[in-house]
Amino acid sequence: MKIITIEEEAWKQLNNRINAIADYLKRQEENIYDELWLNNHEVCQYLHISEKTLWRMRSKGEIAYSKLYGQYFYTIGAIKDMLNANAVQTSDEYVKELMARGKSYIEKGRKLNTGKQ
C-alpha cells in the first residue's frame, strides 16, 4: 500500500470540490421527481383526496395540469407548488418528509430507473 501526502490547503480544496459535486448530484436527484408526470388516480392517492376535489382544484386554477386525449396529468413540481402556495403552517422538514413519502409511493407504484443499483 502506498501512502500519498499532500499539503493541507490542497486537501481542503479537493474536499470542497467533492462536497460541491455531492451537493449538485443531490439537487439533480430531487429535480428528477419534479418532472415526473402523474395521472388523476395517482395524484388522488398521493394527496389522499377524491377525484371531485381534484376537479375543483383544477377548475379554480389551484393546480397546474395538462390534458391529453381526455386525461389529465400533473407534475410532482406542480403539486409541490400548489402545496407550498396553500400552506398554512409548514416547515422545510415537513415538505421534505412529504416529498420523501411521495418518492417512496412512486417508486413502489412504478418501476423507475433511478440509476441506483
Side-chain angles (χ1 to χ4, degrees):
M1 178 162 90
K2 293 182 181 180
I3 298 175
I4 300 172
T5 59
I6 60 174
E7 293 180 9
E8 183 179 2
E9 188 60 35
W11 169 252
K12 287 179 182 179
Q13 289 177 356
L14 179 62
N15 198 24
N16 288 339
R17 288 180 184 170
I18 292 171
N19 287 334
I21 292 169
D23 291 341
Y24 174 78
L25 292 174
K26 189 181 287 186
R27 286 192 307 272
Q28 292 301 327
E29 183 178 304
E30 291 173 4
N31 291 338
I32 289 171
Y33 287 95
D34 284 354
E35 300 301 318
L36 186 64
W37 289 90
L38 304 176
N39 63 24
N40 272 350
H41 180 71
E42 292 171 323
V43 172
C44 290
Q45 284 187 329
Y46 178 58
L47 295 176
H48 301 289
I49 60 174
S50 68
E51 288 198 22
K52 187 168 185 171
T53 299
L54 186 57
W55 172 80
R56 282 190 209 115
M57 293 165 70
R58 253 192 340 261
S59 299
K60 292 179 181 178
E62 295 175 353
I63 188 168
Y65 65 93
S66 290
K67 184 177 179 182
L68 182 65
Y69 298 114
Q71 288 191 354
Y72 295 94
F73 297 94
Y74 316 81
T75 63
I76 294 287
I79 295 168
K80 207 185 329 184
D81 292 343
M82 183 268 310
L83 290 172
N84 285 330
N86 292 304
V88 175
Q89 208 173 38
T90 188
S91 67
D92 288 339
E93 288 179 20
Y94 176 75
V95 173
K96 287 179 185 176
E97 179 184 327
L98 181 63
M99 292 311 300
R101 282 189 276 157
K103 288 178 188 177
S104 172
Y105 166 76
I106 291 166
E107 288 173 353
K108 287 178 186 174
R110 299 180 180 185
K111 293 184 179 180
L112 294 179
N113 182 11
T114 59
K116 296 179 183 175
Q117 297 290 330

